[in-house]
Amino acid sequence: MPREIVLRVNGSPVSVPAGVTVAVAMAIAEQACRTSVTGEPRGPLCGMGICFECRVIIDGKPHCRSCQIVCEPGMDVRTDG
Amino acid sequence: MDNPETSFDVLVVGAGPAGMAAAVRAAECGLRVGVVDDNAALGGQIWRQSGEEHTAEASAWGNRLGAAEVAALFGIRVFDQPRRNVLLAEHDDEVQELHYQKLILATGARERFLPFPGWTLPNVMGAGGLQALVKSGLPIDGKRVIVAGTGPLLLAVAAYLRKKGANVSMVCEQASWGRLARFGVGLLRFSGKISQAVMLRSELSGIPIAVDSWVVEAYGSLKLESVMISRSGKRERLACDYLACGFHLVPNIELPILLGCEIRDGNVKVDEFQQTSISGVFCAGEPVGIGGIDAALIEGEIAGLAAAGHTREARSLFGARRKARRFAAALERAFRLRTELKQMPTPETLVCRCEDVTYSRLQQHHSWRAAKLHTRCGMGPCQGRVCGPAAQFLLGWNPESVRPPVFPVRVESLASATPEQ
């Protein structure tokens, strides 16, 4: 079994296997990654960092492509703002 | 500005198969070579590293790269060329200048996405997109997946997802049996491809593969719940957890366009030594025409050798390249998009996902430029990488130019990129 790590998604703790990306943590947390300009929920599309649909706010930094970033313990991930 | 860490005889942009082969061959000629990539590791999309998927071929090229002392820099996003022989790149929020004598562009390809009602729902992804997510840890065991679109990637993705425990309910391929059969016969000329095809067939056994089939609509409230497909003219609704939908590949030619390389029929134009219209700037792999991994490796080798001035050795690979390119041409014929797919979006369907621009709003304009100015289509963070190829297929529009930055960067990075006084 891979080691589990805990991060926070919109304030709630989420436990994920070590080594997975933030996009995967969002799926495990059953959360959309962002809300579109007309209010639609959105998640990853391309999985390779070009579509920006999976962007989230990580530790206060906006526009992070969650499919390209590996989870770290204690990371604060937010979808609002 | 002769920092040895960022100054190279040959700089390669892109560390996929074409870029790795180019870097290896140039470095083995004794040159100082650097290879940069936006991703975190060697291999590009096709060799995306995740342990078990690491093929022998990928390791062999990786080992040669290390032995030839190629400097590999990752997490690097090239966004501008402030002056000749210099590229600007962003790395960990810092701007770096990369200096070179010769440049090899191996920027690869991305999936083509086409809009249909419901394609913006969470859990509707690209075919390669879902595979990449699963490779980075997405739990797929027991999930119901429909794979759709077109191209050889669909079957590979279906086989991969099934191996990971997914319940792949159907593969929907838009191409007709006739086209695929001709392609299958054509495969006989490429012996290496036959064993791959036979292996794939056994991995796919039991998964229904529907041809003449495509997605009509995806349904769901907060995320995907079911899909309506058109299967040989009949409609069928299938419940599913994920839809993996991609329409083959489009080349990443934004950086070549920015540098001023001539483009012909959507691909970077190169001479027999893979040199672009700009002297000293080479291009290899998908940007010169979607051709798959064999073409990419051979073209990368030719570009690397030619950049190092070893033209006789480069010439010895021309025969292998011809063969690889014939396969590419067969691919193109087999998986050409049928015109019915232009009927997939309804007037209300979003085409630009960044700015939420509907198909009907785009149809009010006569060119990509006019649509961009009036609707902001293609002006969001993806900079038209998703909607551009869709608009090209649906409306026949060509993106006419690329302006820096070719990738969204921080304002601070842009400020440092302004020309010196």
Side-chain angles (χ1 to χ4, degrees):
Chain A
M1 279 294 284
R3 189 169 59 91
E4 292 272 321
I5 61 170
V6 177
L7 64 163
R8 299 182 83 80
V9 175
N10 288 331
S12 304
V14 177
S15 180
V16 301
V20 308
T21 58
V22 176
V24 170
M26 299 304 285
I28 290 170
E30 298 192 333
Q31 300 252 345
C33 291
R34 73 175 191 104
T35 304
S36 81
V37 296
T38 59
E40 291 186 353
R42 296 284 170 82
L45 173 71
C46 76
M48 59 186 275
I50 62 134
C51 74
F52 284 77
E53 284 285 36
C54 70
R55 63 187 189 266
V56 294
I57 304 156
I58 298 180
D59 295 332
K61 190 182 163 191
H63 301 298
C64 294
R65 295 170 294 168
S66 64
C67 75
Q68 300 291 298
I69 297 167
V70 172
C71 293
E72 283 167 27
M75 218 176 215
D76 179 56
V77 183
R78 295 193 172 267
T79 58
D80 46 3
Chain B
M1 280 289 180
D2 269 353
N3 178 358
E5 282 174 21
T6 52
S7 189
F8 305 100
D9 297 324
V10 176
L11 174 64
V12 182
V13 180
M20 287 173 76
V24 163
R25 294 307 293 248
E28 285 176 354
C29 294
L31 298 182
R32 177 163 169 73
V33 178
V35 57
V36 298
D37 200 292
D38 179 27
N39 289 287
L42 289 171
Q45 296 306 321
I46 191 160
W47 285 338
R48 188 178 268 264
Q49 289 175 355
S50 75
E52 80 223 79
E53 310 305 326
H54 209 149
T55 70
E57 197 174 30
S59 325
W61 282 104
N63 292 339
R64 275 174 81 178
L65 200 87
E69 295 181 9
V70 171
L73 307 170
F74 299 109
I76 299 249
R77 287 150 69 178
V78 174
F79 67 91
D80 197 5
Q81 176 183 244
R83 54 191 185 278
R84 211 166 145 64
N85 299 88
V86 180
L87 292 180
L88 278 182
E90 203 178 47
H91 179 229
D92 286 344
D93 292 345
E94 305 259 317
V95 174
Q96 247 180 12
E97 282 195 357
L98 301 166
H99 296 244
Y100 62 86
Q101 298 301 314
K102 299 276 170 63
L103 180 65
I104 300 176
L105 303 170
T107 45
R110 58 179 180 265
E111 271 187 281
R112 182 193 280 112
F113 299 108
L114 295 178
F116 50 85
W119 78 301
T120 54
L121 280 169
N123 293 356
V124 177
M125 298 184 199
L130 181 58
Q131 184 178 36
L133 261 288
V134 173
K135 282 191 178 184
S136 61
L138 183 74
I140 201 74
D141 191 21
K143 301 288 186 190
R144 297 161 303 171
V145 182
I146 291 168
V147 180
T150 199
L153 185 64
L154 298 189
L155 299 183
V157 167
Y160 174 83
L161 294 175
R162 170 194 249 187
K163 203 164 74 187
K164 292 290 167 187
N167 171 13
V168 181
S169 6
M170 191 172 293
V171 178
C172 298
E173 165 62 61
Q174 59 93 36
S176 67
W177 261 132
R179 286 218 160 149
L180 291 176
R182 281 194 293 279
F183 177 64
V185 172
L187 271 182
L188 296 174
R189 288 185 289 143
F190 307 97
S191 55
K193 303 281 176 196
I194 297 175
S195 55
Q196 282 175 29
V198 170
M199 199 161 77
L200 198 55
R201 195 178 155 158
S202 75
E203 287 173 4
L204 287 166
S205 70
I207 300 178
I209 298 173
V211 296
D212 287 310
S213 302
W214 56 89
V215 175
V216 174
E217 184 161 2
Y219 307 91
S221 47
L222 291 174
K223 63 179 184 187
L224 178 71
E225 289 160 18
S226 68
V227 167
M228 179 79 80
I229 60 162
S230 169
R231 184 180 185 182
S232 305
K234 286 200 191 113
R235 300 211 163 181
E236 207 171 307
R237 190 158 169 168
L238 304 165
C240 61
D241 301 301
Y242 288 94
L243 169 61
C245 187
F247 293 85
H248 205 30
L249 304 171
V250 284
N252 293 324
I253 55 173
E254 287 76 10
L255 183 58
I257 291 177
L258 178 77
L259 302 184
C261 299
E262 193 182 331
I263 305 296
R264 183 178 287 176
D265 298 331
N267 300 315
V268 177
K269 189 188 154 211
V270 288
D271 67 11
E272 59 180 353
F273 291 108
Q274 303 293 138
Q275 186 165 238
T276 67
S277 59
I278 301 170
S279 172
V281 177
F282 299 78
C283 188
E286 310 292 27
V288 306
I290 299 302
I293 188 166
D294 296 344
L297 285 167
I298 291 286
E299 288 167 3
E301 289 195 68
I302 291 171
L305 289 165
H310 288 223
T311 50
R312 204 171 55 85
E313 272 179 273
R315 206 174 273 285
S316 72
L317 297 171
F318 284 3
R321 181 178 55 192
R322 265 194 301 278
K323 191 174 167 190
R325 276 288 150 197
R326 276 200 298 272
F327 176 70
L331 267 185
E332 211 278 318
R333 279 192 301 275
F335 297 107
R336 194 169 296 161
L337 298 178
R338 61 202 302 149
T339 52
E340 291 103 311
L341 300 182
K342 293 183 185 177
Q343 311 304 319
M344 286 197 306
T346 64
E348 299 77 34
T349 304
L350 297 180
V351 176
C352 170
R353 304 169 59 119
C354 294
E355 299 289 341
D356 286 5
V357 183
T358 60
Y359 190 34
S360 63
R361 284 182 67 204
L362 286 190
Q363 285 174 308
Q364 292 163 19
H365 302 282
H366 60 274
S367 72
W368 179 240
R369 180 197 278 284
K372 275 176 93 167
L373 282 172
H374 292 99
T375 69
R376 291 195 50 79
C377 176
M379 295 182 72
C382 95
Q383 299 188 327
R385 282 175 170 81
V386 174
C387 60
Q392 190 165 29
F393 173 68
L394 295 170
L395 299 158
W397 294 345
N398 282 312
E400 70 287 352
S401 66
V402 173
R403 281 184 297 177
V406 290
F407 223 84
V409 291
R410 298 180 325 137
V411 175
E412 292 85 343
S413 303
L414 272 184
S416 72
T418 44
E420 289 154 34
Q421 300 296 314

